Amino acid sequence: GGRDSWLHAPHTLISLGRLADRGLVTERERTELSDAYNFLRTLEHRLQMEHGLQTHTLPEDAARRALVARRMHLSPTDFERALALHTSNVSRVYRRVFESAGEGGAAAQAGVVDEGRAESQPAEPGGEAARAAAGDRADAEETSARAAAAVFARHLAGEDEEGRVAALLREEAGRSLSARRALTLAARVAASLDKSGQRPEFEESDLRALVRLCGSSEFFGEMIAANPLLVPSASVRAETVRRRDHRALLRAAVDAEADFGAELSALRRTWARLIVELGARDAAGDLTPAESNALQTSLASASVNVALLVARRELARRAGRLAAGPRLAVLALGRLASGGTDFGSDLDLVLVYDPRVPAPLAGLSREEAYARLAGLTVAALSNVTRDGSLYRVDLRLRPDGRNGALASPAPAFVSYLAERADVWEWLAHVKLRAVAGDLELGRGVERRARGAVHEAARRADPEALRAETRRVRERLERERARRDSRKGTDIKYGPGGMLDVYFAARYLQLRDGVADEGEDRSTRATLESLRRAGSLAREEFDALSGGYALLRRLDHDLRLLAGRSTRLPPAADHPLLGDLARRAGFASPAALASELRARMTAVRAAYDRITERG
């Protein structure tokens, strides 16, 4: 992994796929390890939900072990068999990798060929090595197409011929961004479907859309492989995706269920269907990145609202009928606040309540009752179940950080920002937006909180504001970018990256009292507001807005193609760079790299001029 940046993937399942691409594990091992990972992660969360602790130990007691089996939706006998199968598979691969690595290389000892090396190390054009590599790729693609066709033929209406289905898959893969990735992931989906024992029927259009999506996105290919019933979601039309009422669909899904676990499962299944629909249309080019971000922001806001509803119902089940209706508002920061939610985005949230109404649970203080409600809401959004999870939730930006209450009284939250918050907190909260819960309460708190931030910044020493802005930005660059050109360009944390644009824009907002107005609070809109207010000269505006447009496009495509990442591969011939260049409309990876260098240099220069002169 240190020598091959293609293996630097943040998701375990995607990492396994890339290890198989490089021939470091076999396809069988990849499937076994992926299945084991899903099973064991689900089991881990079942145990932790029961105990409320970071436990990883199965109970020895037969009755409690049987309860764990039921929570895994298995009989005790089937649970023990599944556990034994998955752990034995993991142990076998573990021994193979480490025993053979000690004798001179895991791949060599296992007889595994590094098929992916030809993609990262260019061979002489027309040479024997190049012809051999091309032949290996063609053989691998043909094998994947036949394996997938053998399964999909049984699921097409009328049970089509395998040969015709294989030809269809090859044809569609050839039109996709990466034929090899398309067929490899399609075969993974087919294998998962085959093992599931389910018999859904697909249309030919579903399979074509699936192959195109797999060719463009490892992220979504692995997601569908984990749940092959999502295959039809890849072919939903763009007009339908744009019209979706996310909140109504999620609400209808949980309304049909009667307990917390069932509601979480229904919420996750419906969310997964909606995000795959959206990702498929994005990958196909039917949605612009801005449209995709807007729809994902809508889905995230709807998810928070419905998670809060699920939490209220579960609180009533556990503690009895609520004594009063909770007045809780959810405020967002970061991308959810600015309307830029993207694939893999965290949700940075702050929860506030109205202290003038009685506590919703008799016998508990408001702080205790709202802490329980907040905890259940976070669990509804972020707990991993057999149906997956929705979002990582970050509450660390609440007053007093990790030491603060999960939910704050609204007046105390505003007072904190006005009197005790640090400059870095002002920089984060200047984008605050009410997104869920009691929006009447939330919008009032949002207005007062943002006013408090701007007033605190107005009273601050201008030099201290400037110096602290640079200090925080430089710390993030040191800690996260790790300036090492061999690891590739970091488009977020590196010099001239997206954080330079964010910090420059928010610093100017605080320095000059320029508040975000209206519904569009994106970074692009903020830069335009600063330009109109006279805070940004034309040269700086052009550098920041032009650079940000390219950086944000690359960030979006990286998330879609390869999962969440901020760093581009360092190798000029890396296949991911080719994919990014094609999606962004560049003639070659070299042309993309040249434009990116120029844009990031201009962004850093503008950032320095803004924050050095004060």
Side-chain angles (χ1 to χ4, degrees):
R3 295 187 300 272
D4 187 349
S5 62
W6 182 239
L7 301 177
H8 299 177
H11 297 285
T12 299
L13 295 178
I14 289 176
S15 296
L16 286 171
R18 295 184 182 183
L19 290 168
D21 286 345
R22 290 295 193 246
L24 297 172
V25 298
T26 66
E27 283 296 338
R28 176 181 174 180
E29 289 173 336
R30 173 197 190 179
T31 298
E32 289 172 343
L33 292 177
S34 297
D35 291 347
Y37 180 81
N38 285 324
F39 178 86
L40 294 170
R41 281 286 282 166
T42 302
L43 177 57
E44 174 191 46
H45 282 271
R46 291 285 190 273
L47 290 170
Q48 292 177 1
M49 287 173 68
E50 176 187 0
H51 298 285
L53 301 170
Q54 288 293 101
T55 183
H56 304 86
T57 305
L58 273 170
E60 295 294 335
D61 176 76
R64 291 177 59 206
R65 205 166 173 105
L67 178 61
V68 172
R70 286 199 298 275
R71 287 178 171 157
M72 293 289 289
H73 304 284
L74 295 169
S75 70
T77 300
D78 288 342
F79 170 73
E80 297 297 341
R81 286 175 179 165
L83 180 63
L85 172 66
H86 291 304
T87 54
S88 65
N89 285 342
V90 172
S91 294
R92 187 185 68 256
V93 179
Y94 181 92
R95 288 193 304 271
R96 197 275 297 166
V97 168
F98 285 99
E99 289 174 3
S100 56
E103 298 167 9
Q109 292 296 320
V112 181
V113 178
D114 186 352
E115 295 171 350
R117 189 166 296 157
E119 295 187 52
S120 59
Q121 299 179 358
E124 178 187 352
E128 183 178 344
R131 288 193 296 273
D136 287 343
R137 286 197 294 272
D139 289 345
E141 290 171 13
E142 179 64 22
T143 300
S144 294
R146 289 180 179 176
V151 176
F152 288 139
R154 301 196 298 270
H155 292 268
L156 282 173
E159 297 203 358
D160 218 321
E161 294 180 1
E162 288 183 21
R164 200 188 76 81
V165 176
L168 178 157
L169 297 176
R170 287 193 300 270
E171 174 190 350
E172 210 58 54
R175 297 172 178 167
S176 73
L177 202 59
S178 167
R180 182 179 180 185
R181 181 168 57 226
L183 292 171
T184 298
L185 287 169
R188 283 265 297 134
V189 173
S192 180
L193 178 63
D194 197 33
K195 286 187 293 185
S196 73
Q198 297 168 316
R199 290 301 304 267
E201 280 198 357
F202 302 136
E203 300 294 331
E204 183 177 309
S205 58
D206 296 333
L207 293 189
R208 290 186 180 276
L210 170 69
V211 174
R212 289 195 300 272
L213 179 56
C214 287
S216 295
S217 177
E218 238 180 325
F219 179 81
F220 282 106
E222 289 291 356
M223 188 174 181
I224 298 174
N227 181 8
L229 294 182
L230 291 170
V231 167
S233 300
S235 62
V236 175
R237 298 179 63 186
E239 293 78 8
T240 303
V241 172
R242 290 189 182 95
R243 292 196 304 267
R244 290 294 197 204
D245 184 334
H246 297 132
R247 188 171 178 179
L249 290 168
L250 295 175
R251 172 69 185 266
V254 302
D255 279 348
E257 307 299 339
D259 63 70
F260 190 52
E263 287 170 344
L264 295 192
S265 293
L267 179 58
R268 280 149 176 71
R269 288 194 301 270
T270 305
W271 179 89
R273 176 169 58 84
L274 294 171
I275 198 71
V276 169
E277 290 178 359
L278 205 161
R281 299 282 59 78
D282 188 329
D286 297 333
L287 300 174
T288 66
E291 286 179 310
S292 179
N293 290 159
L295 289 168
Q296 289 188 68
T297 299
S298 168
L299 178 58
S301 297
S303 299
V304 177
N305 268 296
V306 175
L308 185 55
L309 170 66
V310 169
R312 288 178 58 179
R313 290 177 176 174
E314 180 62 11
L315 189 62
R317 292 187 195 105
R318 296 182 183 186
R321 186 173 179 177
L322 301 185
R327 286 208 76 194
L328 181 73
V330 182
L331 308 173
L333 302 102
R335 290 197 171 186
L336 180 55
S338 64
T341 308
D342 215 332
F343 304 116
S345 287
D346 294 350
L347 300 186
D348 297 306
L349 305 178
V350 175
L351 284 72
V352 297
Y353 61 87
D354 187 347
R356 297 169 299 177
V357 301
L361 287 176
L364 293 180
S365 68
R366 293 183 186 88
E367 183 180 50
E368 292 169 330
Y370 282 109
R372 290 191 184 185
L373 184 60
L376 287 168
T377 301
V378 172
L381 287 167
S382 62
N383 274 12
V384 178
T385 74
R386 67 181 298 169
D387 296 297
S389 64
L390 307 185
Y391 301 97
R392 290 181 293 270
V393 176
D394 192 342
L395 300 180
R396 289 175 295 176
L397 290 172
R398 65 188 185 271
D400 297 312
R402 297 179 187 273
N403 298 321
L406 290 181
S408 305
F413 173 64
V414 176
S415 295
Y416 175 85
L417 292 177
E419 300 167 8
R420 294 196 291 127
D422 292 325
V423 171
W424 69 265
E425 292 174 286
W426 300 345
L427 291 165
H429 285 80
V430 75
K431 287 285 186 181
L432 193 72
R433 186 202 289 264
V435 295
D438 189 323
L439 288 179
E440 180 184 7
L441 170 66
R443 286 172 181 147
V445 174
E446 173 199 325
R447 185 173 58 254
R448 295 192 298 276
R450 292 170 68 211
V453 167
H454 280 285
E455 177 59 23
R458 187 188 66 79
R459 296 195 309 265
D461 175 12
E463 173 58 21
L465 178 63
R466 182 201 66 79
E468 183 65 5
T469 299
R470 284 191 66 90
R471 186 192 70 80
V472 175
R473 170 65 183 106
E474 288 165 5
R475 178 181 173 182
L476 288 170
E477 186 174 323
R478 284 195 308 272
E479 292 179 352
R480 302 295 296 273
R482 298 185 300 275
R483 285 178 264 185
D484 184 342
S485 59
R486 292 175 300 173
K487 295 180 180 178
T489 302
D490 193 315
I491 62 172
K492 181 176 181 179
Y493 295 98
M498 288 185 289
L499 284 190
D500 276 3
V501 183
Y502 296 153
F503 275 80
R506 294 177 189 184
Y507 164 68
L508 291 175
Q509 283 188 277
L510 293 175
R511 189 196 70 181
D512 298 347
V514 179
D516 288 302
E517 302 294 346
E519 285 302 306
D520 187 355
R521 300 182 191 175
S522 64
T523 299
R524 175 192 54 77
T526 299
L527 292 173
E528 291 173 352
S529 296
L530 291 167
R531 173 65 180 147
R532 289 194 299 270
S535 298
L536 268 177
R538 168 57 65 181
E539 180 184 4
E540 291 157 351
F541 172 80
D542 289 344
L544 294 178
S545 60
Y548 183 74
L550 178 58
L551 290 164
R552 191 67 181 82
R553 174 63 196 255
L554 291 175
D555 174 77
H556 175 74
D557 288 344
L558 267 173
R559 290 168 179 267
L560 179 65
L561 289 166
R564 177 174 168 166
S565 177
T566 67
R567 195 179 289 277
L568 301 183
D573 62 331
H574 196 287
L576 180 58
L577 285 179
D579 293 343
L580 289 169
R582 285 192 290 276
R583 281 191 61 84
F586 287 88
S588 67
L592 168 60
S594 175
E595 179 70 9
L596 181 62
R597 281 193 299 271
R599 292 289 187 181
M600 292 182 72
T601 298
V603 166
R604 174 45 64 100
Y607 167 80
D608 282 339
R609 288 195 298 272
I610 290 166
T611 60
E612 285 178 350
R613 71 179 179 222

